[in-house]
């Protein structure tokens, strides 16, 4: 073998090395992503009862919105006797409304729309928050940062509900995804600020500085860490944002501001409330059933966020360490004193 | 007090107001088919018969301060100067009165229940937060914490509905709605005052439920502050328990919550729209609701702008007090 | 019981605190954690008592117990008796009710501890701290603030400037001295200083220590100084208490312990102490690891790390042996310790004349 040949062989080798590990590492990355986003949260969820109960409630409603819709027929007027009492017939276990529609079927068929709204709203607000927060954090100290933060501060102080009411009154959205997007509009600034400060604190870590000195670009360091460190905030905020979207969407349907084009818990409440359900015991189930659903779903989300919070929350973790070891106290306090304000 | 900090906050408030005003102008433009098309049917149903396009545009300008005939920047300039310089928010389609006049009549009522709700909700969240932290892991703590989580899972308007059902319908403790009993003369007489408070109580409580969402965060802060050295030193110094609870624990755990509380003001004010409808309480929120129902766009935009202005004022006032409760503010902000 | 011969206090001494059978326990999920075990000692009026031992040896817990201030969920038992000045009725500190205890704290015993940097309420001016302390102990606020001025002046601080400052406006050393002044505001009998200088630089440490000497004279104080900084203590303390593994292993005058330490641990401690006079190769660290508060070591607790340990050390706990002049030590072989564990630095110092 000539030298030249071996050289080219080596080059090819090198070339292959460059190419080959990539798909492999991509698979690794996918595995890591799965581990981080599915396996680890699941394990955590099992460890904390709040996350467990919250997750179970959420799963129940998801089943209701998928399997339930398939099992239970879409209600129409005159399906059953008008204003039947609950717990008397298997055909309408929760009773019926003034149109003779079974209440349980209405609840079930309102669920997919609810989830579409929650999904769209959470994706929009969490996604936008993450985008704004990460960009502002990356560009810390520049004009882009101060511009983004000014916008964030402005949106944070605009009364969100009246704005959303005006927007929905003008555009009359019927598609649940669009309703969700509208509701997500005022939900992002808080998380954006959190994400930004998180990015900043990652930047300040000493190992980041060290890697930078070693010539690894800041962006790739941050990319590696941001996902893992921001995930908790994103998940907790996702749960809380979802709750808020339920509150607001149901509220707007309840007020009758959003058009009544689909089944919705808020629509049921509106019709019942307008029909004076509070003073008519025979109509009460029509009013109470959607209220219970809203409560349960929000309760599940709050529990989930609480459970995730207690497991992820650095402060809490520090506190656990603190109670067991006295030395941690002063150190912890110092870090809080410097980072506190 | 640090003038620089306050100037910055004031500038931010003004900017926010301008943004809201601009948004409302843009929303007029963004109406499906443009303002002329969108409002044609509403105006037609008001005036009856048919009108030509010029007359329609003139009427739109009369009502909304937006003249669709002119180029966009002129429209915007006129709109902005009407709002800012003349405090003119247009005229209601249906009530044929100045929007500002209509809103002014309603503001005191909304302010009444909102402030009531804020005071109630915030003092309750601070009190419960501190108390549960003090007895961390006790039965009291777990009971109250669970109740708070439960309460935070119920939308405030459902709280309102439940309150009406139990306290106004099942039992006659409070009226189901309205702002004053019929046949009661206004004035400084006890009967009037009592009726005022009784009508405002349930709306304020349900809005206050929204303001208790900070209680758990408050608890977390208080737990953290309890671990601080100055609390231990205060106990070693033999200070009275009440002093430690208020001036040490309470005061220091509120500080990180302050921004959240301030932002919460806007949320509580906004909740008036739904709550006032539920209780038929004729404040600004009900006015806004009526505007939606009747497609009274000038009134709708007007209430949005005024809601923003009021929230911003309230937040700015809260900002002024922040410098009083945290001496480090000038340092922390730099 | 190692302390049977110590149950009666030295009749020649005016005792201010008498501690007997002091136990502090914490329930943990691994079992009961005994962080102070069966501790007996006396504190004499107007002395400076140094408490030394590694971190986690129980010094801070013992001193907290003097004010019945062990942090919850710690349980304190035993007897802590306080003798007020002028022959007043003795006070059993652990039996005080909440209100009595509140008055007792800071009024009779004040404490300055390691977290001085964060011992002040961050949202309150220093003046407010003095004022509230006076108010809550029903003292005359005017006269008290007058006194605060004087003490702050004695500590080389500008009284008006300090009083009108928020804590964050003061430097660490200033805060530390302001805290000492706050500790003296109610004219306590006893001042407990728990690692008061740990967070300060060396210069500030020494200046605080020299201030303490003056303060002690001026305000008739009994000072309990807790630290793991042995050289600092030797310059300050009249008597030393050495703690190891949650109990006292040796007590005696500073002189006595410096030149005639009779417990292997004390001697290792002296050997491990960096001293400018000692060549670096003669310094030794103490081998082995710290004891665990949950496990109960039968016999002598220092046995696992002691070079002299034999079977008898494992069989029984060594009693406190009296070596005269109030020097007591918990070692079976206290007479042989000096020969078995030499202290090269000390010998060098002795040979070269007085060490200091």
């Amino acid at each position: 073998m000539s030298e030249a040949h071996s050289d080219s062989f080596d080059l090819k080798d090198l070339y292959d090395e460059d190419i080959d590990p990539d798909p492999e590492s991509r698979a690794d990355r996918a595995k890591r992503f799965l581990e981080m986003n599915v396996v680890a949260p699941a394990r955590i969820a099992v460890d904390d009862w709040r996350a467990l109960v919250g997750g179970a409630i959420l799963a129940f409603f998801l089943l209701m919105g998928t399997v339930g819709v398939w099992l239970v027929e879409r209600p129409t007027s005159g399906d059953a006797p008008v204003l039947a009492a609950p717990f008397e017939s298997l055909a309408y276990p929760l009773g019926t409304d003034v149109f003779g529609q079974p209440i349980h079927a209405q609840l079930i068929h309102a669920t997919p729309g609810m989830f579409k709204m929650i999904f769209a709203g959470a994706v929009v607000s969490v996604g936008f928050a993450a985008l704004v927060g990460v960009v502002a954090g990356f560009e810390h100290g520049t004009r882009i940062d101060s511009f983004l933060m000014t916008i964030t501060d402005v949106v944070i102080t605009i009364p969100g509900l009246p704005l959303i009411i005006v927007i929905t009154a003008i555009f009359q959205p019927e598609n649940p995804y669009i309703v969700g997007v509208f509701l997500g509009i005022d939900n992002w600034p808080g998380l954006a600020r959190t994400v930004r400060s998180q990015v900043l604190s990652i930047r300040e870590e000493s190992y980041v500085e060290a890697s930078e000195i070693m010539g690894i670009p800041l962006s790739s360091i941050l990319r590696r860490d941001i996902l893992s460190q921001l995930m908790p905030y994103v998940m907790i905020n996702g749960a809380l944002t979802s709750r808020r979207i339920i509150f607001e969407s149901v509220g707007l349907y309840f007020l009758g501001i959003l058009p009544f084009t689909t089944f919705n818990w808020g629509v049921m409440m509106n019709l019942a409330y307008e029909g004076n359900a509070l003073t008519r015991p025979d109509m009460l189930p029509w009013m109470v059933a959607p209220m219970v659903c809203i409560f349960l779903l929000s309760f599940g989300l709050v529990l989930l966020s609480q459970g995730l919070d207690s497991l992820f929350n650095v402060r809490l973790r520090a506190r656990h360490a603190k109670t067991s070891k006295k030395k941690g106290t002063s150190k912890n306090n110092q870090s809080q004193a410097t980072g506190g304000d | 007090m640090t003038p620089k900090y306050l100037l910055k906050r004031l500038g931010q408030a003004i900017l926010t107001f301008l943004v809201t005003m601009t948004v409302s102008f843009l929303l007029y433009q963004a109406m499906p088919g443009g303002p002329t098309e969108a409002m044609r049917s509403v105006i037609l149903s008001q005036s009856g018969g048919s009108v030509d396009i010029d007359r329609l545009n003139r009427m739109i300008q009369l009502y909304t301060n937006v003249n669709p005939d002119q180029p966009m920047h002129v429209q915007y300039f006129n709109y902005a100067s009407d709002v800012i310089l003349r405090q003119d928010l247009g005229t209601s389609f249906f009530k044929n009165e100045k929007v500002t006049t209509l809103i002014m009549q309603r503001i005191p009522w909304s302010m009444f229940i909102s402030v009531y709700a804020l005071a109630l909700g915030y003092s309750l969240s601070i009190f419960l937060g501190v108390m549960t932290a003090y007895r961390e892991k006790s039965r009291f703590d777990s009971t109250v914490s669970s109740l708070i989580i439960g309460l935070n899972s119920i939308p405030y308007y459902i709280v309102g509905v439940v309150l009406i059902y139990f306290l106004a319908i099942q039992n006659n403790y409070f009226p189901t709605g309205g702002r004053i009993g019929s046949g009661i003369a206004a004035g400084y007489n006890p009967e009037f005052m009592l009726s005022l408070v009784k009508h405002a109580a349930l709306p304020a409580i349900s809005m206050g439920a929204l303001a208790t969402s900070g209680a758990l965060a408050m608890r977390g802060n208080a737990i953290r502050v309890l671990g601080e050295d100055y609390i231990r030193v205060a106990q070693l110094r033999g200070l009275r328990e009440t002093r430690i609870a208020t001036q040490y624990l309470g005061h220091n755990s509120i500080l990180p919550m302050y921004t959240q509380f301030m932002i919460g003001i806007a949320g509580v004010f906004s909740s008036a729209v739904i709550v006032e409808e539920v209780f038929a309480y004729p404040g600004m929120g009900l006015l806004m609701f009526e505007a939606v129902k009747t497609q009274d766009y000038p009134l709708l935009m007007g209430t949005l702008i005024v809601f923003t202005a009021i929230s911003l004022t309230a937040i700015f006032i809260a900002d002024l007090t922040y410098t009083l409760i945290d001496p480090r503010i000038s340092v922390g902000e730099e | 019981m190692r302390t049977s011969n110590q149950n009666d206090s030295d009749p020649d001494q005016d005792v201010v605190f008498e501690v007997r059978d002091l136990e502090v326990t914490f329930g943990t999920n691994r079992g009961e954690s005994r962080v102070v075990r069966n501790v007996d000692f006396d504190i004499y009026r107007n002395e400076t008592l140094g408490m030394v031992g590694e971190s986690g040896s129980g010094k801070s817990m013992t001193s907290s117990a003097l004010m019945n201030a062990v942090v919850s969920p710690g349980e304190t038992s035993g007897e802590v008796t306080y003798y007020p000045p002028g022959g007043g009725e003795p006070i059993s500190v652990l039996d005080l009710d909440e209100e009595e205890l509140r008055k007792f704290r800071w009024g009779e015993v004040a404490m300055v501890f390691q977290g001085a940097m964060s011992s002040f309420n961050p949202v309150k001016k220093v003046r407010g701290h003095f004022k509230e302390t006076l108010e809550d102990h029903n003292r005359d606020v005017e006269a008290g603030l007058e006194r605060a001025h004087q003490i702050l002046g004695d500590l080389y601080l500008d009284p008006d400037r300090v009083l009108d400052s928020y804590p964050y406006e003061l430097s660490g050393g200033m805060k530390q001295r302001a805290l000492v002044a706050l500790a003296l505001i109610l004219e306590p009998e006893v001042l407990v200083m728990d690692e008061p200088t740990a967070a300060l630089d060396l210069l500030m440490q020494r200046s605080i220590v020299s201030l303490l000497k003056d303060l002690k004279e001026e305000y008739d104080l009994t000072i309990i100084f807790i630290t793991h900084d042995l050289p600092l203590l030797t310059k300050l303390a009249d008597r030393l208490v050495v703690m190891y593994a949650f109990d006292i292993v040796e007590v005696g005058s500073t002189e006595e312990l410096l030149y005639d330490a009779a417990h292997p641990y004390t001697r290792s401690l002296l050997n491990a102490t960096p001293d400018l006079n000692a060549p670096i190769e003669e310094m030794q660290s103490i081998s082995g690891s710290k004891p665990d508060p949950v496990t109960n070591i039968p016999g002598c607790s220092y046995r696992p790390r002691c070079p002299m340990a034999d079977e008898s050390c494992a069989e029984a706990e060594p009693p406190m042996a009296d070596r005269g002049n109030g020097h007591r030590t918990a070692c079976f072989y206290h007479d042989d310790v000096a020969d078995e564990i030499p202290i090269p630095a000390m010998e060098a110092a002795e040979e070269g004349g007085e060490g200091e």
Side-chain angles (χ1 to χ4, degrees):
Chain A
M1 260 185 219
S2 73
E3 265 191 25
H5 186 221
S6 96
D7 257 352
S8 73
F9 182 77
D10 276 346
L11 262 177
K12 194 171 173 284
D13 232 21
L14 274 175
Y15 181 72
D16 274 346
E17 247 172 42
D18 255 8
I19 285 285
D20 232 351
D22 217 11
E24 219 177 45
S25 88
R26 209 168 278 159
D28 272 357
R29 219 178 291 157
K31 219 160 104 191
R32 227 186 316 136
F33 187 82
L34 200 72
E35 164 78 20
M36 209 156 63
N37 295 298
V38 181
V39 180
R43 206 170 17 223
I44 285 163
V46 173
D47 281 350
D48 189 285
W49 72 267
R50 285 174 300 190
L52 193 65
V53 173
I57 292 176
L58 215 59
F60 171 75
F61 278 99
L62 273 172
L63 277 179
M64 204 162 128
T66 49
V67 181
V69 177
W70 180 67
L71 282 178
V72 177
E73 225 174 294
R74 195 178 175 82
T76 45
S77 299
D79 273 358
V82 167
L83 287 178
F87 314 120
E88 282 182 355
S89 160
L90 272 181
Y92 34 88
L94 295 178
T96 61
D97 65 8
V98 284
F99 310 110
Q101 305 182 94
I103 287 171
H104 76 284
Q106 294 185 52
L107 291 178
I108 288 170
H109 281 271
T111 323
M114 207 71 230
F115 273 108
K116 285 175 192 166
M117 267 178 244
I118 293 172
F119 176 74
V123 165
V124 165
S125 50
V126 172
F128 199 59
L131 186 71
V132 169
V134 168
V135 171
F138 262 92
E139 303 290 330
H140 176 56
T142 66
R143 260 185 212 172
I144 299 171
D145 177 29
S146 59
F147 174 72
L148 287 176
M149 283 303 107
T150 308
I151 293 190
T152 308
D153 284 341
V154 165
V155 177
I156 243 174
T157 42
I158 291 181
L161 190 62
L163 180 65
I164 289 170
I165 286 177
V166 171
I167 293 175
T168 48
I170 289 175
F171 296 103
Q172 293 288 305
E174 292 179 2
N175 184 326
Y177 288 115
I178 299 194
V179 175
V181 170
F182 282 166
L183 294 173
I185 285 176
D186 75 321
N187 254 330
W188 57 271
L191 180 59
R193 280 203 156 278
T194 316
V195 170
R196 174 176 172 271
S197 58
Q198 202 57 29
V199 172
L200 290 183
S201 76
I202 296 173
R203 279 179 63 151
E204 276 168 22
E205 299 270 355
S206 52
Y207 73 88
V208 172
E209 206 176 315
S211 323
E212 255 186 302
I213 292 168
M214 280 156 60
I216 302 168
L218 180 65
S219 55
S220 76
I221 302 164
L222 290 179
R223 203 169 41 230
R224 209 175 48 209
D225 285 13
I226 277 175
L227 199 62
S228 61
Q229 300 213 17
L230 287 186
M231 227 37 217
Y233 293 95
V234 168
M235 288 173 69
I236 293 160
N237 272 280
L240 291 177
T241 301
S242 307
R243 180 195 61 158
R244 197 165 153 182
I245 284 168
I246 297 171
F247 279 22
E248 289 187 346
S249 67
V250 171
L252 294 185
Y253 279 111
F254 177 41
L255 276 191
I257 287 174
L258 282 166
F260 292 179
T261 48
T262 70
F263 289 103
N264 183 284
W265 301 334
V267 174
M268 295 169 71
M269 284 172 60
N270 175 283
L271 294 175
Y273 194 68
E274 299 292 313
N276 278 324
L278 289 188
T279 50
R280 293 181 54 181
D282 54 339
M283 274 172 75
L284 217 48
W286 195 18
M287 179 91 199
V288 174
M291 279 168 40
V292 171
C293 282
I294 295 161
F295 169 72
L296 273 182
L297 185 52
S298 326
F299 189 60
L301 287 166
V302 173
L303 278 185
L304 190 66
S305 77
Q306 292 264 324
L308 293 175
D309 190 46
S310 79
L311 285 154
F312 285 133
N313 199 328
V314 192
R315 214 183 255 163
L316 269 174
R317 224 181 289 150
R319 200 185 132 65
H320 285 308
K322 198 160 104 181
T323 42
S324 59
K325 212 174 169 192
K326 205 183 167 242
K327 256 216 155 162
T329 317
S330 56
K331 203 184 157 209
N332 201 24
N333 287 338
Q334 269 162 16
S335 70
Q336 260 154 15
T338 47
D341 30 34
Chain B
M1 289 266 181
T2 49
K4 198 177 158 201
Y5 168 75
L6 289 180
L7 271 179
K8 191 182 154 204
R9 305 295 296 187
L10 187 62
Q12 228 163 45
I14 292 171
L15 180 66
T16 309
F17 181 77
L18 293 178
V19 167
T20 312
M21 191 192 71
T22 310
V23 165
S24 78
F25 172 79
L26 292 175
L27 284 173
Y28 272 126
Q29 304 298 334
M31 286 177 181
T36 317
E37 273 311 302
M39 283 181 268
R40 179 200 287 269
S41 60
V42 188
I43 291 179
L44 283 186
S45 71
Q46 266 311 87
S47 52
S50 63
V51 282
D52 62 80
I53 191 82
D54 283 342
R55 200 169 119 76
L56 184 65
N57 280 348
R58 250 178 294 127
M59 287 182 74
I60 288 176
Q61 188 194 353
L62 192 71
Y63 284 120
T64 64
N65 294 338
V66 173
N67 186 347
D69 280 346
Q70 289 167 328
M72 195 66 83
H73 63 277
V74 181
Q75 287 183 40
Y76 178 67
F77 180 78
N78 288 339
Y79 180 76
S81 57
D82 276 339
V83 172
I84 296 166
L85 300 178
R86 283 179 280 281
Q87 289 85 46
D88 182 355
L89 296 168
T91 309
S92 158
F93 284 159
F94 281 84
K95 309 201 169 169
N96 244 319
E97 264 190 84
K98 281 282 174 200
V99 167
T100 34
T101 320
L102 287 170
I103 293 177
M104 280 307 168
Q105 293 165 353
R106 300 291 188 93
I107 285 180
W109 299 99
S110 291
M111 289 296 283
F112 183 46
I113 53 170
S114 300
V115 171
Y116 205 162
L118 281 172
L120 203 73
Y122 284 171
S123 42
L124 198 68
S125 25
I126 292 168
F127 178 74
L128 291 180
V130 169
M131 288 303 287
T132 46
Y134 237 100
R135 312 217 172 124
E136 196 194 353
K137 296 194 176 122
S138 69
R139 180 175 294 184
F140 171 80
D141 176 27
S142 55
T143 313
V144 172
S145 297
S146 317
L147 282 178
I148 293 170
I149 294 179
L151 186 62
N152 288 346
S153 309
I154 309 174
Y156 52 91
Y157 46 86
I158 291 189
V159 173
V161 170
V162 172
L163 287 175
I164 291 182
Y165 182 73
F166 285 106
L167 299 181
I169 293 176
Q170 292 295 306
N171 301 289
N172 233 341
Y173 302 137
F174 292 95
T176 55
R179 64 183 171 198
I180 203 76
S182 53
I184 295 174
Y188 287 102
N189 56 69
E191 200 191 358
F192 175 75
M193 291 295 174
L194 186 69
S195 172
L196 205 64
V197 170
K198 269 191 153 180
H199 280 79
L202 295 189
I205 292 173
S206 39
M207 283 161 84
L210 187 65
T212 56
S213 58
L216 283 183
M218 186 70 197
R219 173 177 175 273
N221 284 335
I223 288 174
R224 187 175 55 77
V225 171
L226 272 174
E228 296 281 356
D229 289 335
Y230 53 79
I231 295 284
R232 174 154 169 80
V233 174
Q235 283 161 350
L236 289 179
R237 270 197 284 149
L239 297 187
R240 286 181 213 285
E241 204 67 6
T242 46
R243 190 194 293 277
I244 297 176
T246 52
Q247 296 176 13
Y248 279 70
L249 186 55
H251 193 155
N252 282 290
S253 354
I254 288 173
L255 295 182
M257 297 291 295
Y258 217 77
T259 332
Q260 196 185 325
F261 278 159
M262 282 196 294
I263 293 162
I265 293 175
V268 171
F269 278 16
S270 329
S271 69
V273 187
I274 301 184
V275 168
E276 287 179 5
E277 214 284 304
V278 172
F279 287 93
Y281 192 85
M284 232 171 80
L286 196 61
L287 193 65
M288 182 171 210
F289 174 77
E290 288 160 3
V292 174
K293 284 281 144 186
T294 54
Q295 289 178 292
D296 197 339
Y297 295 115
L299 188 57
L300 188 59
M301 300 295 189
T303 46
L304 172 64
I305 290 174
V306 174
F307 258 120
T308 310
I310 292 177
S311 302
L312 291 175
T313 314
I315 292 173
F316 187 67
I317 291 172
D319 245 335
L320 292 178
T321 61
Y322 191 17
T323 54
L324 296 180
I325 98 164
D326 189 355
R328 290 165 301 180
I329 181 69
S330 53
V331 182
E333 270 297 308
E334 293 310 312
Chain C
M1 181 145 302
R2 67 164 56 148
T3 48
S4 51
N5 56 350
Q6 206 207 342
N7 256 345
D8 292 308
S9 304
D10 191 335
D12 302 337
Q13 292 287 350
D14 184 5
V15 172
V16 61
F17 262 112
E18 193 179 82
V19 177
R20 293 291 174 270
D21 300 331
L22 183 68
E23 288 267 343
V24 178
T25 54
F26 284 83
T28 70
N29 39 16
R30 289 196 298 133
E32 194 177 59
S33 170
R34 293 172 66 207
V35 294
V36 174
R37 301 179 180 180
N38 225 339
V39 164
D40 303 62
F41 68 107
D42 293 324
I43 300 167
Y44 304 141
R45 205 176 298 281
N46 295 338
E47 73 168 343
T48 300
L49 179 70
M51 280 182 116
V52 69
E54 35 188 24
S55 42
S57 59
K59 326 176 281 257
S60 296
M61 286 294 167
T62 306
S63 63
S64 294
L66 295 179
M67 297 168 82
N68 194 8
V70 169
V71 286
S72 68
E75 299 271 352
T76 315
S77 61
E79 274 174 59
V80 177
T81 315
Y82 170 74
Y83 295 92
E89 195 66 21
I91 296 171
S92 173
V93 178
L94 300 184
D95 296 327
L96 292 177
D97 70 29
E98 224 167 276
E99 185 62 17
E100 288 166 338
L101 184 64
R102 192 177 71 72
K103 288 272 160 70
F104 176 77
R105 289 175 176 178
W106 225 254
E108 303 297 331
V109 186
M111 189 162 179
V112 175
F113 78 126
Q114 35 192 345
M117 299 305 118
S118 48
S119 289
F120 288 97
N121 184 349
V123 295
K124 202 184 258 281
K125 285 187 177 172
V126 175
R127 186 188 302 281
H129 289 82
F130 281 93
K131 234 172 111 179
E132 65 187 7
T133 312
L134 291 162
E135 278 167 6
D136 285 4
H137 286 271
N138 305 327
R139 305 291 176 94
D140 182 343
V141 175
E142 282 291 305
L145 284 178
E146 203 54 35
R147 193 176 141 77
H149 265 86
Q150 191 202 327
I151 305 172
L152 286 166
D154 287 346
L155 290 162
Y156 304 105
L157 288 169
D158 174 354
D160 285 311
R161 210 206 117 196
V162 170
L163 287 173
D164 285 328
S165 297
Y166 282 105
Y168 74 90
E169 294 171 317
L170 301 176
S171 72
M174 286 163 96
K175 254 188 268 189
Q176 181 65 278
R177 280 178 285 163
L179 189 62
V180 173
L182 186 58
L184 298 178
I185 189 69
L186 300 179
E187 303 177 72
E189 268 298 291
V190 179
L191 178 62
V192 179
M193 309 203 78
D194 188 351
E195 307 259 11
T197 57
L200 299 178
D201 60 69
L202 213 60
L203 210 62
M204 190 54 78
Q205 280 188 22
R206 304 291 145 164
S207 80
I208 293 240
V209 165
S210 67
L211 279 175
L212 278 182
K213 284 184 173 168
D214 301 342
L215 285 179
K216 184 175 164 261
E217 295 309 315
E218 197 172 335
Y219 297 98
D220 272 342
L221 285 168
T222 305
I223 294 181
I224 300 159
F225 201 99
I226 299 160
T227 181
H228 49 246
D229 185 352
L230 193 54
L232 189 74
L233 272 190
T234 57
K235 297 190 176 69
L236 190 73
D238 304 317
R239 277 197 319 139
L240 293 179
V241 167
V242 182
M243 289 195 77
Y244 181 80
F246 327 110
D247 197 357
I248 294 174
V249 292
E250 191 162 17
V251 187
S253 71
T254 307
E255 285 283 296
E256 197 87 35
L257 254 61
L258 261 186
Y259 297 105
D260 187 27
H263 193 280
Y265 176 66
T266 314
R267 295 190 78 85
S268 314
L269 211 56
L270 287 165
N271 262 337
T273 300
D275 189 310
L276 287 179
N277 300 328
I280 194 86
E281 61 269 21
E282 283 175 0
M283 260 176 59
Q284 286 165 21
S285 62
I286 302 176
S287 58
S289 58
K290 276 193 282 184
D292 176 8
V294 177
T295 53
N296 237 333
I297 307 163
C300 175
S301 57
Y302 190 59
R303 175 174 52 88
R305 295 167 83 177
C306 182
M308 299 168 64
D310 60 19
E311 299 85 59
S312 58
C313 298
E315 277 158 18
E317 200 178 337
M320 272 290 192
D322 198 335
R323 288 174 62 81
N325 293 330
H327 183 184
R328 294 185 184 86
T329 183
C331 181
F332 289 120
Y333 305 108
H334 56 91
D335 286 330
D336 312 328
V337 173
D339 300 329
E340 292 280 338
I341 307 172
I343 305 176
M346 213 54 79
E347 277 158 16
E350 268 171 9
E351 276 162 25
E354 273 313 287
E356 214 169 325

